[in-house]
Amino acid sequence: MSAQYDALIVGGGPAGATCAWLLRNAGMQVAIIDKQQFPRDKICAGWITPAVVETLQIDLQDYARGRVLQPLTGFITAMIGEKIRLTQYGKPMSYGIRRCEFDHYLLQRSGAAMHLGEPVKSLAYENGLWLVNQKYQAPLLIGAGGHFCPVVRLTGARQTNSEPIVAAQEVEFEMTPEHKAHCLVDPQAPELYFCRDLKGYGWVFRKGDYLNIGLGRQDNHRLSAHVNEFVDYLQQAGRIPPALPKKMSGHAYLLYGDTPRKIVDDGLLIIGDAAGLAYAQSGEGIRPAIESAVLAAQTILQHARTGSDYSRQALSEYETLLSRRFGDRHKRTNIKIAALVPQGIKRSLAARLLASKYFSRNFVLNKWFFHLQQPPLDSGFGTHGIPHGA
Ligand SMILES: Cc1cc2nc3c(=O)[nH]c(=O)nc-3n(C[C@H](O)[C@H](O)[C@H](O)COP(=O)(O)OP(=O)(O)OC[C@H]3O[C@@H](n4cnc5c(N)ncnc54)[C@H](O)[C@@H]3O)c2cc1C
C-alpha cells in the first residue's frame, strides 16, 4: 500500500523546502523525498541577498540564534592579479550563511512529511497519479533535486546531452586561531576576483569563524589548474592561510537561458537548479531557486482551488510566470553580445572598468550581484488557504 499525498517534492534544498512551505501553509499534504539526511552539506559559497530573506520571511534574529549569519556591508572586487577595490555600503547588502544550517532550517520550517536518506530511483505516471519509488503517490510531482535531479533524468526533461555548465570548486572550513592569524579577509567584506579571460571568478568569503574559498568557470577545461592558481595568488598576497586543512570539492550548475530544460508536463513541475535558473552574471542560484518555488506554488494553488486541473496546459502558467520574472528562457542576450567582442579588447576594457569605482558599485555589485533592479518576490505566505472540498 503506497502513502498518498497531494504533492511529492523530490529534493529538500531551498527550492523544494520553499515550495513545500507554501503548499503546506495552504493546507496541502506534501512530502519531501531527499537522498541525504539533514543537516547536510551543499557545495556553495553561502551568500544570500536581502531579497531572499524577505521572500522567505526569515526572522534574522531568530535565525542567528545558534547559526552563522554574517552581515556583508562592503565588497572587494578586482581582476586576479590587479589592484583591488573596496566598495563600502555602511549597511548589510547581503548575508553569509552556512548551507548545512540554512537548508536544514528551511526544511524543518516547511512542515512537510520527510522521507530523508532515500534516493529517488523510480517514477511512474498513470491515470493522473505519480508513483515514486513504488511507495509514494500523488497527482503532483515537483522536481527540486538540483543539477542532477532524478526527476529531470527519469522524465527526459533534459533536452540535450551537452549542456553548457558552470563548473565550480570550493572549500569551507572552521578556522583555528592559527588560521585566523594568517587571514586578512574582513568578515564584513567578501572578495570577488574575476578571471583574466572573463570566463569566471573566484571568491574568498569569511563567515564568522568559517572561511569559504572557491572559483567557478563557464568552461570545465583546466578547472583545477585555475583553482590552484587562484589559491596560490591569495596565499602569496597573504589573504588566506598558507595551508588549507581540506581539499576542494566540485559541483556544476546551469545558467539561466543556457539550455532551457523542459519544466512543465502533466502533473509535473521542475524548480530551482533542476530547471537551470542561476543568474547568468553572478551564478547566484538560491534566489532564483526560491523564487521559482514561489511561482510554482502559486500556479499549483490556483488550480488546487479550482478543481485540481494539473494538466500540462494548466500548469504551463508556471513557465509564463518564470519568463515574466527572469526573461525569455531561450535567449542568452548578454553572453551573445559578449561573444562578439574580441578577447583582447574585452580583457583590457574589463580591467579598466573593474578599476572604476562607479562601474564596480553600480554594475558589478548593485546590478549583477545584488540584482537591486528587481524587487523581492512576494511569497504570499498566509494568503493561499485552499477551501475544504476544493
Ligand atoms: C561552488 C558553488 C557556489 C555557489 N555559491 C552560491 C552562493 O553563494 N549564493 C547563491 O545564491 N547560490 C550559490 N550557488 C548556487 C546554489 O548552490 C544553487 O543554485 C542552489 O543550491 C539551488 O537550490 P536547489 O534547491 O534547486 O538545489 P540543491 O540545493 O542542490 O538541492 C537539491 C536536493 O536534491 C537532493 N537530491 C539530488 N538527487 C537526488 C535523488 N536522486 N533522490 C533524492 N534527492 C536527491 C539533494 O540531496 C539536495 O538536497 C553556488 C553553487 C556552487 C556549485
Side-chain angles (χ1 to χ4, degrees), residues 207-227:
K207 306 177 261 189
D209 289 341
Y210 290 84
L211 191 65
N212 187 300
I213 305 159
L215 183 136
R217 285 181 58 83
Q218 283 185 18
D219 65 4
N220 207 354
H221 183 58
R222 290 183 66 248
L223 178 65
S224 295
H226 283 284
V227 172

Side-chain angles (χ1 to χ4, degrees), residues 14-15 34-35 40 42 44-47 99 120 145 150 273 284-286:
D34 198 295
K35 67 178 179 185
R40 58 104 175 86
K42 161 77 182 77
C44 182
W47 167 333
R99 286 294 298 272
V120 165
D273 267 11
E284 175 188 359
I286 297 173

Side-chain angles (χ1 to χ4, degrees), residues 149 207 343:
C149 182
K207 306 177 261 189
Q343 194 63 26

Side-chain angles (χ1 to χ4, degrees), residues 82 117 182 280:
E82 304 280 338
H182 292 95

Side-chain angles (χ1 to χ4, degrees), residues 143-188:
H147 183 69
F148 300 104
C149 182
V151 179
V152 170
R153 194 177 66 243
L154 295 167
T155 59
R158 189 178 152 167
Q159 312 210 51
T160 160
N161 283 329
S162 56
E163 293 177 319
I165 54 158
V166 169
Q169 290 185 10
E170 61 116 62
V171 64
E172 181 166 300
F173 59 91
E174 187 169 10
M175 288 194 285
T176 61
E178 166 110 23
H179 289 138
K180 285 184 206 166
H182 292 95
C183 179
L184 286 179
V185 180
D186 176 351
Q188 302 215 31

Side-chain angles (χ1 to χ4, degrees), residues 303-332:
H303 292 288
R305 277 192 296 268
T306 54
S308 304
D309 175 5
Y310 298 140
S311 65
R312 180 182 179 163
Q313 198 185 5
L315 296 180
S316 66
E317 174 70 7
Y318 165 61
E319 198 155 17
T320 309
L321 292 175
L322 210 60
S323 295
R324 214 175 279 158
R325 179 79 184 161
F326 298 106
D328 186 343
R329 290 202 312 132
H330 300 267
K331 258 193 197 157
R332 299 173 59 201

Side-chain angles (χ1 to χ4, degrees), residues 23-326:
L23 298 182
R24 276 283 303 131
N25 178 60
M28 291 179 77
Q29 296 302 314
V30 181
I32 292 181
I33 308 169
D34 198 295
K35 67 178 179 185
Q36 300 214 49
Q37 294 288 353
F38 282 62
R40 58 104 175 86
D41 278 327
K42 161 77 182 77
I43 295 173
C44 182
W47 167 333
I48 56 167
T49 45
V52 168
V53 174
E54 188 168 332
T55 298
L56 293 177
Q57 298 184 19
I58 294 175
D59 174 344
L60 290 178
Q61 270 189 342
D62 173 55
Y63 182 85
R65 258 176 240 128
R67 300 181 192 88
V68 170
L69 182 74
Q70 176 65 61
L72 307 174
T73 56
F75 300 82
I76 281 179
T77 46
M79 193 152 233
I80 296 177
E82 304 280 338
K83 204 168 151 237
I84 61 175
R85 165 161 299 287
L86 171 64
T87 305
Q88 286 284 16
Y89 287 83
K91 62 174 185 178
M93 294 300 289
S94 282
Y95 298 91
I97 48 91
R98 298 193 66 221
R99 286 294 298 272
C100 52
E101 296 172 352
F102 183 72
D103 290 17
H104 193 214
Y105 170 87
L106 295 182
L107 193 63
Q108 281 184 319
R109 190 182 75 158
S110 75
M114 309 277 175
H115 302 290
L116 303 179
E118 185 167 345
V120 165
K121 292 190 172 156
S122 72
L123 297 177
Y125 187 60
E126 223 174 277
N127 301 326
L129 281 178
W130 286 96
L131 181 64
V132 177
N133 284 356
Q134 303 191 326
K135 279 200 244 180
Y136 311 114
Q137 220 174 24
L140 267 170
L141 178 67
I142 293 134
H147 183 69
F148 300 104
C149 182
V151 179
V152 170
R153 194 177 66 243
L154 295 167
T155 59
R158 189 178 152 167
Q159 312 210 51
T160 160
N161 283 329
S162 56
E163 293 177 319
I165 54 158
V166 169
Q169 290 185 10
E170 61 116 62
V171 64
E172 181 166 300
F173 59 91
E174 187 169 10
M175 288 194 285
T176 61
E178 166 110 23
H179 289 138
K180 285 184 206 166
H182 292 95
C183 179
L184 286 179
V185 180
D186 176 351
Q188 302 215 31
E191 306 185 6
L192 303 168
Y193 296 91
F194 294 86
C195 295
R196 295 193 148 268
D197 63 3
L198 298 177
K199 289 194 172 162
Y201 69 91
W203 63 87
V204 52
F205 187 12
R206 182 169 171 181
K207 306 177 261 189
D209 289 341
Y210 290 84
L211 191 65
N212 187 300
I213 305 159
L215 183 136
R217 285 181 58 83
Q218 283 185 18
D219 65 4
N220 207 354
H221 183 58
R222 290 183 66 248
L223 178 65
S224 295
H226 283 284
V227 172
N228 292 339
E229 281 162 25
F230 177 55
V231 169
D232 281 352
Y233 162 71
L234 292 174
Q235 285 172 333
Q236 276 168 29
R239 302 208 72 73
I240 62 170
L244 303 181
K246 276 167 86 177
K247 280 192 168 167
M248 295 267 171
S249 306
H251 196 59
Y253 55 95
L254 285 176
L255 297 179
Y256 192 83
D258 263 4
T259 315
R261 292 178 172 183
K262 191 163 89 179
I263 56 168
V264 176
D265 211 334
D266 290 329
L268 178 74
L269 293 168
I270 309 286
I271 63 177
D273 267 11
L277 304 179
Y279 284 130
Q281 297 92 345
S282 62
E284 175 188 359
I286 297 173
R287 181 173 176 186
I290 63 140
E291 292 193 350
S292 65
V294 170
L295 300 176
Q298 283 174 359
T299 306
I300 292 166
L301 292 173
Q302 187 189 327
H303 292 288
R305 277 192 296 268
T306 54
S308 304
D309 175 5
Y310 298 140
S311 65
R312 180 182 179 163
Q313 198 185 5
L315 296 180
S316 66
E317 174 70 7
Y318 165 61
E319 198 155 17
T320 309
L321 292 175
L322 210 60
S323 295
R324 214 175 279 158
R325 179 79 184 161
F326 298 106

